[in-house]
Every structure is written in C-alpha cells, then in structure tokens.
Amino acid sequence: LGSFIWQGYGPVSIFFSALSVVFSYWFAGRFWVDIRRSTLPSPVTTSIRMALIFLVLSSAGPFLLAYSMSHRVGGIGFYYNSIYLYLHFQYNGWFSFGVLALLFWVLFAQDFAANEKLARRAVGLLGIGCVPAYCLSLLWTMPPLWIWVTAGIAAIIQLAALLLLTKLLWKAFVTWRGRPSRMVAVLWGLSLTAFGIKIVLQAGSVIPALGRFAFSFRPVIIAYLHLVLLGFITFFLLGFLYLHGLLKHSGRMTRTGIAVFIAGVVGNECILLLQSLIAAGGTAWMAAPYYLLGAALCMFAGLSVLTAGFGQTRPEQRLRPAE
C-alpha cells in the first residue's frame, strides 16, 4: 500500500503486487494438501477447494492487464474485462466460497448431517455457475450471441443454487440447538439477503436495458462491490465472530457498534443507488461524496466500537465445532 501511495504503478509497487500473487499460489497449494488430510464434512472441503481454485483463477486478470499494457494490445474493453475477471473470481469465487466453507463448518457442528446432500447440491451448482457467470461481466461490450446465452444459463444456475441455499438455511435455523442468538440471526439474515440481491442483480444484467444501466454508471458498480464485500462477506464474518465469542455476547457497546456499522453499510448502498438514479436522469449530484464520507465514517465508528470489545469473552463461551 505504501509503495502505491509513493509511486503509483511503479517498479516497487508492481514487484510487491506480483509477490502477493505468488504467495497466494503457495497458500492455495499448502491449504489444498492440508484439506486432503482433514475429516471435515464434504460440503466444507468442497467449498474450500472451490475458493482456492477461484483464488488462483482470479490472478489471470492482473496478468492479462499487465500484458496488454506492456505490449500495447487490446482496447478499453480488454482493459476493463481484465479487471472484471479479477473482481469476479475474487468476489464471486474466493470470497463467496470461503464464507460458505465457514457457514457449513458451523452448521455441521449442529447435527446437520441429514442435509449434507442438499448442501452438496447448492455448492455444486454455485461452483458450476461461477466460471460461465463471468460472461455476465462481458455483456456491456455487446458480445456475440453465445456470450449472452452462456450468461443466461449461468444466471439460471445461480438462481437455482440460491433457492437450494435458502431452503438449506431455513432447515438449519429450525433445527439449530437452542437457536442462534438474535444478533447472529440479524447479521446472517442481512448477509443472506445481500447474497440473494447479488444473485438477482447478476441475473437481471442479462436484460439489455438493466445491463446498460449497471455498466454505464460507476456508482452502480461500486454499490455492487460494496454489497458483496460489506453486506454479504462482512456481515457474515461479524456474525461468525459473535457466535464464537470473539465479540462480546452482551453489553450495550457491542450492540451499538454493530447497529452503527449496519446503518453505515445500508446508508452507503442507498446513497450510491440514489446517485446512480440521479445520474441516469442526466443530473450530477455534487453533494454525494460528502454523504458517502459520512457513511464511511459511520462504518468506521461502528467497527472502532466493536474492536474495543474484541476477544473479551470467557473461553468457555466460544463455540468449538467438531471436525
């Protein structure tokens, strides 16, 4: 980060970026070997393997981008599609399947083995649909018909996976021993909602008018990325930490911190959406950056409060799922 601030895309920053990619390959290889020796349930190991595969695939984006810039090949479409390739396999692959692995790890510690087949189907469909779903990121270039067809098929597969996952989580909530706490239920409910909205928005981009709107305005793209990273990923991880006793299980400070952070995320999404709608009407909302700064400060304040209570629970309060 410091090298990018110092010189932008210079030799030092590019060296450390390449080094991080090499390290991700080492990490994926070591983790893959370790998983082969584990006794974790099949949906957990499958999700981890999917996450590692897509982590490696995502690195093709920066390499393609570097090649196009060094050899002066490809136009603006190639440039953005290389970036979208990286973002797609990071957000919809590495991040998403990492969350699913943690989710199934928790669920199968709650005598959830009877639903293993349903879990495998959900993970399988998401994995099958992830690679062709990259075609959804290419629709802004008005590609050939086969790209549209592939994107449509991927959207249908992902919608089917969403239905299976929703059914699975409903069963988990009903059969959960003692039910999860209200805070975990709220955070994971928001996370699943964000995931569902993500899948629906991806499917909607197949419609030409909606696709043009999504790719024509930068705030829409930023809102989508924040929906995944802040809504789906971060809300889930906060619930995971709370469930395992790494955040206080009681106390007004923790509840306030989470509520403030949620308000900041929701406010950020609403401001970006409103900014996009105003821009679609041909008007620039000049005050939008100030409101976005306010939402960012709100999220920062919420996380600062949560950090003050991090890890302050007694060890016996922490859930320890069996492997």
Side-chain angles (χ1 to χ4, degrees):
L1 177 61
S3 60
F4 273 104
I5 295 175
W6 171 45
Q7 63 175 190
Y9 284 98
V12 177
S13 59
I14 291 175
F15 169 77
F16 282 107
S17 295
L19 189 63
S20 68
V21 173
V22 173
F23 176 78
S24 71
Y25 293 161
W26 174 84
F27 169 80
R30 290 302 303 268
F31 208 148
W32 190 282
V33 172
D34 291 341
I35 285 299
R36 294 177 61 183
R37 296 195 295 262
S38 74
T39 57
L40 294 168
S42 174
V44 178
T45 56
T46 301
S47 297
I48 292 174
R49 289 190 177 100
M50 292 286 187
L52 296 175
I53 289 171
F54 294 131
L55 170 63
V56 173
L57 280 178
S58 69
S59 66
F63 286 130
L64 288 172
L65 186 62
Y67 178 82
S68 68
M69 295 178 68
S70 61
H71 290 74
R72 307 292 182 182
V73 297
I76 191 66
F78 189 92
Y79 174 84
Y80 281 111
N81 287 338
S82 298
I83 296 175
Y84 291 152
L85 187 148
Y86 172 76
L87 293 175
H88 172 73
F89 287 115
Q90 282 278 313
Y91 280 65
N92 301 316
W94 163 234
F95 294 163
S96 295
F97 283 93
V99 164
L100 288 177
L102 292 175
L103 174 63
F104 291 138
W105 182 64
V106 172
L107 293 183
F108 281 91
Q110 301 289 329
D111 297 329
F112 202 61
N115 296 285
E116 182 173 347
K117 186 176 181 180
L118 183 60
R120 288 202 306 268
R121 287 179 178 176
V123 173
L125 282 177
L126 285 172
I128 291 171
C130 188
V131 174
Y134 171 62
C135 292
L136 292 165
S137 302
L138 304 177
L139 299 182
W140 72 282
T141 61
M142 302 306 292
L145 179 61
W146 71 269
I147 296 288
W148 287 92
V149 173
T150 303
I153 293 173
I156 293 172
I157 292 174
Q158 290 191 327
L159 287 171
L162 176 63
L163 292 176
L164 289 179
L165 188 61
T166 303
K167 180 180 178 181
L168 182 75
L169 294 181
W170 176 253
K171 287 186 174 183
F173 179 77
V174 171
T175 60
W176 194 298
R177 292 196 304 265
R179 297 290 180 87
S181 67
R182 180 179 299 179
M183 187 62 69
V184 174
V186 168
L187 287 168
W188 283 6
L190 289 171
S191 177
L192 177 62
T193 300
F195 181 77
I197 293 173
K198 174 187 86 75
I199 296 295
V200 172
L201 288 177
Q202 284 184 304
S205 66
V206 178
I207 303 173
L210 294 178
R212 284 193 298 270
F213 174 76
F215 289 103
S216 298
F217 301 99
R218 186 171 177 269
V220 178
I221 299 174
I222 300 301
Y224 172 80
L225 296 177
H226 286 185
L227 177 70
V228 179
L229 187 58
L230 297 176
F232 173 43
I233 307 296
T234 306
F235 283 157
F236 176 85
L237 292 178
L238 285 176
F240 184 83
L241 292 174
Y242 195 90
L243 181 68
H244 285 71
L246 296 174
L247 296 176
K248 285 186 176 181
H249 276 229
S250 62
R252 184 178 300 175
M253 184 174 68
T254 299
R255 293 194 297 269
T256 300
I258 290 177
V260 170
F261 180 76
I262 292 173
V265 173
V266 174
N268 178 76
E269 290 297 300
C270 291
I271 293 166
L272 288 170
L273 178 59
L274 182 59
Q275 184 183 15
S276 303
L277 294 175
I278 293 175
T283 304
W285 185 16
M286 304 303 296
Y290 299 102
Y291 288 101
L292 290 172
L293 176 61
L297 291 175
C298 187
M299 288 184 278
F300 178 77
L303 290 178
S304 297
V305 173
L306 288 176
T307 303
F310 186 80
Q312 295 186 11
T313 53
R314 297 188 301 273
E316 62 268 20
Q317 288 180 293
R318 299 177 184 176
L319 177 66
R320 299 179 185 274
E323 293 188 0

